[in-house]
Every structure is written in structure tokens, then in C-alpha cells.
């Protein structure tokens, strides 16, 4: 029994680099005046689990041991628990029994905060009915976009959210989530915050296409919502005021922001609601699965770039798969601007530090630029995952060149895609992306640690590359050069670590020319 919380900033569980990212889930158990903390994962969290007035009793969970090669604090940081079923919710003020009690006793004392929240939901709608998307856009367009600046302790100027006139009428908005931004402790002075892209029905308009509205949620009270909300969830947000989210560029992002009295209701958590009681726009997208991959392969290969499906400027940390290779490279294609969803099973861990996994023995998942990725985050093989808002790339082998990436990820040849015919989709995550665990593996095997490239080199690479494509190209060039020049570019480095550092510097320069290298067999 303990409490669940959401890390509101990067936290060090052991010596560096064993940290968890903002937005990670942590289970806290207090006994004898001391508090023990451990990371946790769950497949379907609810906002009520994270209320200050609630303690949770975990009745069905699994402890995942760290990899055997780790010891001490590193092992402690890597271990975590998987919450396999909904916990029993108890009041934080409950008087604990002096003797052991059966589960039936605890069930009699459980509380149901959703019942009270459901009443508050209808009261909020009655007090301030939600506006339509067209009206929301009109309100944002009526206000000038003013900038405000705040000073960091080191006196470097940083642009923060600017609120409009305090006399502006507050609004409520109801819609479906299209994307969730990264959690940041620096997004606003009111506490940690994140951005949500909402699909809102236009209302009183001839066009029934949902309107995209950006909402900034700031404050500790919304951390539970950040942990629980998924793409396509229905949300009601109250007491919002128009603001400007400044992303560091010349184009400011008109949005609504929460206030001190704002409330957030995740409609999907109220099981007793009927469809007639609250109406939300239709789902914005449907995840595709293995059966529909041919259509996407055809799109990427023959149709080129596609129209963008939503606002792309959720915050300043978005890493899109910026193209660095020539457009005529038949070995690498980018599904420009089009974000997709996918449901599949993790079948192999390729690189833990880079966050590279094999999905369904057919595709690659790259979490390299996903904000929640950390050295201790791992998806165990056998986990079923839902990937939302992923950038999509296509790697293709040919007679002239076979990707080192694909040889590493798929060591066993695939009879359905022999030799130079192999084509693999890559799903790349950014700050708009969401990775939701649908089901955990049935086994309790320890978390896997896999490294395709040395950890120190990973840090050096990520400091110098811009976007997913460039990262793929640089690592590919590094592997090619390392095989040809094991003692460094000049053949003078006898220590492997020093040779690899020298090779990496050449790989960073060579990545731009790698496409031409692939087109010429025997180069």
C-alpha cells in the first residue's frame, strides 16, 4: 500500500545516467518514517489514482528484476513494478488495522472518487457550457499576441506563456485528444505543464470537420491527467482563458490556458455515462495493424509527402525526421508530415540507450527523441503496445546496399523478404507521440539491456545530430567506417575507445554523402 505520483521533472534514482524523465510513474511506500520509491508501469491508469486524498492498495503486480550485469544503485534504479490490475482505492485518512486483514476487508473500505467527480462534471457543464471549435478560434483571433519574459536564475532570458487581459471571460472546451505534448517543469511559472491538441466540434457551422485547438495545462493538479490521458480520449476542460504559447520562433501559438480554478475531466473514466448525456466528436484516427502495412508502404514509396494531419508546433522540443539525404535516395523514404498509429507486439530489444525495438518481427520502433525515454526505460519483449502519432520512415535494401541497421535488428533472414527485397517501416517518436502499454508479457523475466553502440558515443551522437533521419545516417556511417577502419581513420589508434571517437567524427561528416555511397555497388 502506498501512493502513486508522476515525476514532474527529471529525477536521479541512482548515480548518473540512471534518471527518470518528467512524466514517469513512481510508487511510494512509507513505513517506519522512511519512504521507499520505485518506478512502475501500468496499462490503463486513471486520474483518480493520483489524487492527494487517495492511497492505493496494489493487489496484482509483478516485480521486474534488473539485468544481471547491473549491481548496487544501478540495479535499484533499473528495477520496477508492473501494475497488472486496477488497485483498490482507499482514503488517505484510513485507520490501518493492527492485524492482517483479508482482501474482502479492504474492499469494504474502498472509495469511489469517480462518483463524486461525475457529479462535479455535470455541475461544471451546467455552470459553464463548453463552446464550439469555431467560437474558440474566433476568441483566439480577437486578442493581440503579447509577449512576456521571465528571467532564469542564471539571468538568461526565456519566453514563457503570456496571458491576455484578466477580464477576459473564461471558457470551457470539450473535445477529443489528438496529441499530448511533453511534460515540462519550465513551461510556466504555475508549475509543471503540458500541451494538448484537441479536436473540437465546430458547432453552428456548415463545416462539421473538427477544429484543432491547443490547450496548455499547468499545475500539479494536472499531473494525474498527464499520466492517464490517451490519444482519442474525451476531455472537458473548464475555466480556460486565451493565451499565447511562445515556442521561441517568430510565430506564436494561439492557445487556451488553464487558470487557478480550472478543472479537467477525462470522460472515458466515467463508466456510468450514456452517449446521450455528453456528446463528443468522432474518433480522429484509427490505429492500423500488420494487415494494412502494404498500403502505407505504397504511400511512402510512390506518393511522396502527404498532407499534415494536425498542428505540429506543440512545443520547442519536437524532433521531426528532418531529411538530410537526397530526395532520390531509393533506400530511405520519409512519410513527410503524416503521423500514424500502430498496434503491435515488442519482439526484440535492439538498443536500450537509443530506445530501438523490433515490433511484430517486421518493423522498427525508435524512441530516441521521445521525451519519456531514459536509460532505465525499457519495453519488455512480449509487451503489446499502442503507438500514436508516430513519424514513419521506410528503409529498403537493394543489390547495391544492405542496411547495417536491418542486419542488426533482424539477424535471422526473413523468407518473405529475402536479400535485397527487404523493406522495413520505422516508427519514430517525438513530443507529440504517445506509447501506451496495452498488455504486459506473461513472464516475469528481468528487463533486457541491449547496446548496438557504446553509451558514451550515443550521448555524443545525440548532441550533434538534428532529427531522426540524421541519427540513422550517422550511426549507419559509423558502423560502415568502423568495419573498414578498426584502428581509426588513419590507422593509428590502438585503443578501441579512442578509435571509435575518431571514427564518429568522420561519420558525422560522412552522413550527408552516405546516400551516394549506397547507390554505387562496391564503393
Amino acid at each position: 500500500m502506498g501512493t502513486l505520483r508522476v515525476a514532474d521533472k527529471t529525477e536521479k534514482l541512482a548515480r548518473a545516467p540512471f534518471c527518470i524523465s518528467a512524466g514517469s510513474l513512481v510508487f511510494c511506500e512509507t513505513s517506519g518514517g522512511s519512504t521507499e520509491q520505485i518506478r512502475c508501469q501500468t496499462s490503463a491508469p486513471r486520474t483518480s489514482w493520483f489524487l492527494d486524498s487517495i492511497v492505493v492498495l496494489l493487489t496484482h503486480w509483478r516485480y521486474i528484476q534488473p539485468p544481471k550485469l547491473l549491481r548496487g544503485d544501478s540495479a535499484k534504479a533499473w528495477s520496477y513494478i508492473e501494475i497488472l490490475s486496477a488497485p483498490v482505492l482507499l482514503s488517505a485518512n484510513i485507520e490501518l488495522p493492527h492485524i492482517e486483514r483479508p482482501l474482502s476487508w479492504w474492499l469494504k473500505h474502498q472509495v469511489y472518487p469517480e462518483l463524486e467527480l461525475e457529479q462535479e462534471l455535470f455541475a461544471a457543464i451546467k455552470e459553464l457550457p463548453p463552446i464550439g471549435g469555431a467560437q474558440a478560434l474566433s476568441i483566439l483571433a480577437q486578442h493581440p499576441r503579447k509577449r512576456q519574459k521571465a528571467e532564469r536564475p542564471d539571468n538568461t532570458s526565456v519566453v514563457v506563456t503570456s496571458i491576455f487581459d484578466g477580464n477576459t471571460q473564461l471558457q470551457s472546451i470539450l473535445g477529443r485528444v489528438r496529441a499530448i505534448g511533453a511534460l515540462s517543469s519550465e513551461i510556466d511559472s504555475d508549475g509543471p505543464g503540458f500541451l494538448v491538441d484537441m479536436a473540437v466540434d465546430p458547432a453552428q457551422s456548415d463545416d462539421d470537420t473538427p477544429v484543432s485547438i491547443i490547450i496548455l495545462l499547468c499545475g500539479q493538479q494536472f499531473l494525474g491527467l498527464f499520466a492517464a490521458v490517451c490519444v482519442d480520449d474525451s476531455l472537458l476542460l473548464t475555466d480556460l482563458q486565451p493565451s499565447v504559447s511562445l515556442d521561441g520562433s517568430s510565430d506564436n501559438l494561439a492557445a487556451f490556458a488553464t487558470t487557478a480554478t480550472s478543472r479537467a475531466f477525462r470522460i472515458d473514466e466515467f463508466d456510468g455515462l450514456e452517449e446521450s448525456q455528453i456528446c463528443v466528436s468522432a474518433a480522429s484516427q484509427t490505429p492500423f495493424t500488420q494487415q494494412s502495412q502494404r498500403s502505407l508502404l505504397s504511400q511512402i514509396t510512390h506518393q511522396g509527402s502527404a498532407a499534415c494531419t494536425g498542428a505540429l508546433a506543440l512545443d520547442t522540443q519536437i524532433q521531426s525526421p528532418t531529411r538530410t539525404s537526397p530526395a532520390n535516395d531509393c533506400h530511405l523514404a520519409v512519410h513527410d508530415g503524416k503521423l500514424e498509429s500502430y498496434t503491435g507486439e515488442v519482439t526484440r530489444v535492439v538498443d536500450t540507450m537509443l530506445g530501438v525495438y523490433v515490433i511484430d518481427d517486421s518493423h522498427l520502433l525508435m524512441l530516441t527523441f521521445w521525451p519519456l525515454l531514459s536509460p532505465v526505460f525499457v519495453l519488455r519483449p512480449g509487451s503489446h503496445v499502442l503507438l500514436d502519432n508516430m513519424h514513419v520512415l521506410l528503409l529498403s535494401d537493394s543489390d547495391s546496399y544492405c542496411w547495417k541497421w536491418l542486419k542488426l535488428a533482424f539477424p535471422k533472414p526473413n523468407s518473405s523478404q529475402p536479400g535485397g527485397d527487404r523493406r522495413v517501416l520505422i516508427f519514430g517518436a517525438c513530443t507529440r507521440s504517445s506509447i501506451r502499454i496495452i498488455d504486459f508479457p506473461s513472464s516475469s523475466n528481468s528487463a533486457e539491456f541491449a547496446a548496438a553502440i557504446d553509451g558514451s558515443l550515443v550521448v555524443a551522437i545525440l548532441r550533434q545530430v538534428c532529427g531522426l533521419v540524421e541519427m540513422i545516417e550517422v550511426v549507419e556511417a559509423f558502423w560502415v567506417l568502423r568495419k573498414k577502419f578498426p584502428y581509426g581513420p588513419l590507422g593509428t589508434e590502438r585503443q578501441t575507445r579512442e578509435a571509435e571517437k575518431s571514427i564518429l567524427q568522420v561519420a558525422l561528416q560522412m552522413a550527408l554523402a552516405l546516400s551516394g555511397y549506397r547507390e554505387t555497388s562496391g564503393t
Side-chain angles (χ1 to χ4, degrees), residues 318-331:
I318 286 185
Q319 295 280 357
S320 62
T322 308
R323 189 172 187 85
T324 58
S325 301
N328 61 354
D329 183 3
C330 66
H331 296 89

Side-chain angles (χ1 to χ4, degrees), residues 399-401 517-523:
D399 293 335
S400 63
Y401 190 83
Y517 166 85
R518 286 195 294 263
E519 297 301 325
T520 306
S521 179
T523 301

Side-chain angles (χ1 to χ4, degrees), residues 37-55:
Q37 302 186 90
I38 187 170
R39 292 185 303 119
C40 60
Q41 292 182 354
T42 181
S43 59
R46 295 197 167 203
T47 55
S48 56
W49 298 4
F50 303 91
L51 296 175
D52 293 336
S53 59
I54 293 296
V55 294

Side-chain angles (χ1 to χ4, degrees), residues 17 22 60 74 129 146 163 168 242 260 282 322 377 428 511:
H60 190 199
S74 301
K146 300 177 182 179
I163 304 300
T168 303
T322 308
F377 177 86

Side-chain angles (χ1 to χ4, degrees), residues 301-473:
T301 306
H302 302 295
Q303 296 181 9
S305 59
C308 178
T309 56
L312 286 178
L314 269 180
D315 62 23
T316 59
Q317 300 301 316
I318 286 185
Q319 295 280 357
S320 62
T322 308
R323 189 172 187 85
T324 58
S325 301
N328 61 354
D329 183 3
C330 66
H331 296 89
L332 191 156
V334 178
H335 199 32
D336 287 326
K338 185 71 166 62
L339 303 180
E340 300 283 355
S341 297
Y342 187 84
T343 303
E345 179 183 345
V346 177
T347 50
R348 188 163 180 259
V349 182
V350 178
D351 190 290
T352 309
M353 292 288 287
L354 286 173
V356 182
Y357 299 86
V358 175
I359 304 293
D360 288 339
D361 282 325
S362 303
H363 313 303
L364 283 177
L365 169 64
M366 291 191 174
L367 306 180
T368 311
F369 296 105
W370 187 48
L372 282 179
L373 180 67
S374 74
V376 295
F377 177 86
V378 64
L379 294 172
R380 292 200 299 135
S383 300
H384 287 79
V385 293
L386 170 60
L387 313 174
D388 274 314
N389 290 329
M390 308 296 291
H391 295 277
V392 184
L393 288 74
L394 173 65
L395 295 187
S396 302
D397 283 345
S398 72
D399 293 335
S400 63
Y401 190 83
C402 292
W403 285 89
K404 304 297 184 290
W405 274 106
L406 302 189
K407 290 181 180 179
L408 179 69
F410 305 97
K412 296 181 180 180
N414 190 338
S415 58
S416 63
Q417 293 184 340
D421 295 331
R422 180 157 52 186
R423 298 191 300 173
V424 173
L425 292 175
I426 293 181
F427 298 98
C430 68
T431 54
R432 287 179 62 88
S433 305
S434 300
I435 292 89
R436 179 69 63 182
I437 298 177
I438 300 175
D439 194 15
F440 292 108
S442 57
S443 68
S444 57
N445 296 335
S446 61
E448 287 190 22
F449 179 85
I453 191 169
D454 185 81
S456 61
L457 295 178
V458 169
V459 176
I461 291 171
L462 295 183
R463 284 176 179 172
Q464 300 182 66
V465 301
C466 178
L468 184 59
V469 167
E470 189 170 343
M471 187 277 292
I472 293 172
E473 296 277 36

